[in-house]
């Protein structure tokens, strides 16, 4: 059921996805082709805000705090997975893999590689603080406008 808290969480995590994408870009090698990187992460933020964080709001501020962190964590997980899977598909079209298992293994390896690029203090701080703010604001909205 649509609620204002779900909408606020979705918009908040979508915005966080865009901002975090912009902070992440300089951390990657200079020749990286990002394509629709930001747009994909915004959609992931919207979905995680609505379905992950938004469904856990309305139960108190401690739960809102953790709902924001859960939504932010889910957004990072799915972003790493989708971006790694996309890169694996690009490489598979160049015939770099001999089979399906090698391609699936590459998804995990690429996810770990991209995750190491994310080990950056300002980016981690942004994701943690932004997720908590989204959760607390979403909880506040759930108490004001049900």
């Amino acid at each position: 059921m649509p609620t204002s808290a779900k909408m606020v969480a979705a918009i908040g995590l979508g915005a966080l996805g865009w901002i975090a994408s912009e902070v992440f870009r300089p951390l990657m090698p200079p020749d990286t082709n990002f394509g629709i990187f930001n747009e994909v992460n915004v959609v992931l933020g919207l979905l995680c805000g609505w379905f992950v964080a938004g469904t856990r709001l309305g139960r108190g501020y401690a739960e809102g705090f953790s709902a924001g962190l859960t939504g932010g964590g889910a957004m990072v997980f799915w972003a790493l997975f989708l971006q790694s899977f996309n890169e694996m598909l690009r490489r598979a079209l160049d015939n770099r893999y001999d089979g399906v298992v090698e391609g699936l293994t590459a998804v995990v390896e690429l996810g770990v590689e991209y995750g190491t690029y994310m080990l950056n203090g300002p980016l981690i701080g942004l994701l943690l603080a932004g997720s908590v703010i989204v959760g607390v604001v979403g909880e506040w909205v759930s108490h004001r406008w049900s």
Side-chain angles (χ1 to χ4, degrees):
M1 177 173 186
T3 64
S4 55
K6 284 183 179 182
M7 182 183 68
V8 166
I11 292 170
L13 282 182
L16 181 62
W18 182 275
I19 295 167
S21 296
E22 288 297 320
V23 171
F24 181 72
R25 281 176 181 259
L27 303 176
M28 293 291 287
D31 61 341
T32 303
N33 179 12
F34 287 99
I36 58 169
F37 179 73
N38 285 26
E39 291 81 1
V40 168
N41 291 336
V42 166
V43 170
L44 287 172
L46 290 168
L47 291 172
C48 288
W50 187 274
F51 292 108
V52 178
T55 58
R56 291 167 173 80
L57 296 173
R59 302 178 188 150
Y61 284 96
E63 185 69 24
F65 182 94
S66 66
L69 286 176
T70 303
M75 179 179 70
V76 169
F77 170 79
W78 285 111
L80 281 173
F81 175 76
L82 281 178
Q83 302 300 340
S84 300
F85 190 77
N86 182 44
E87 179 64 18
M88 182 275 298
L89 288 177
R90 188 188 67 75
R91 291 180 181 183
L93 291 174
D94 291 337
N95 292 324
R96 291 193 190 177
Y97 306 123
D98 291 329
V100 175
V101 174
E102 192 175 338
L104 293 176
T105 304
V107 171
V108 175
E109 291 170 357
L110 288 166
V112 169
E113 179 185 342
Y114 294 159
T116 57
Y117 286 123
M118 289 185 72
L119 294 177
N120 176 279
L123 178 61
I124 292 171
L126 170 72
L127 288 168
L128 289 174
S131 297
V132 167
I133 290 169
V134 166
V136 170
V137 169
E139 184 64 31
W140 180 80
V141 166
S142 74
H143 290 288
R144 300 303 179 264
W145 303 291
S146 296

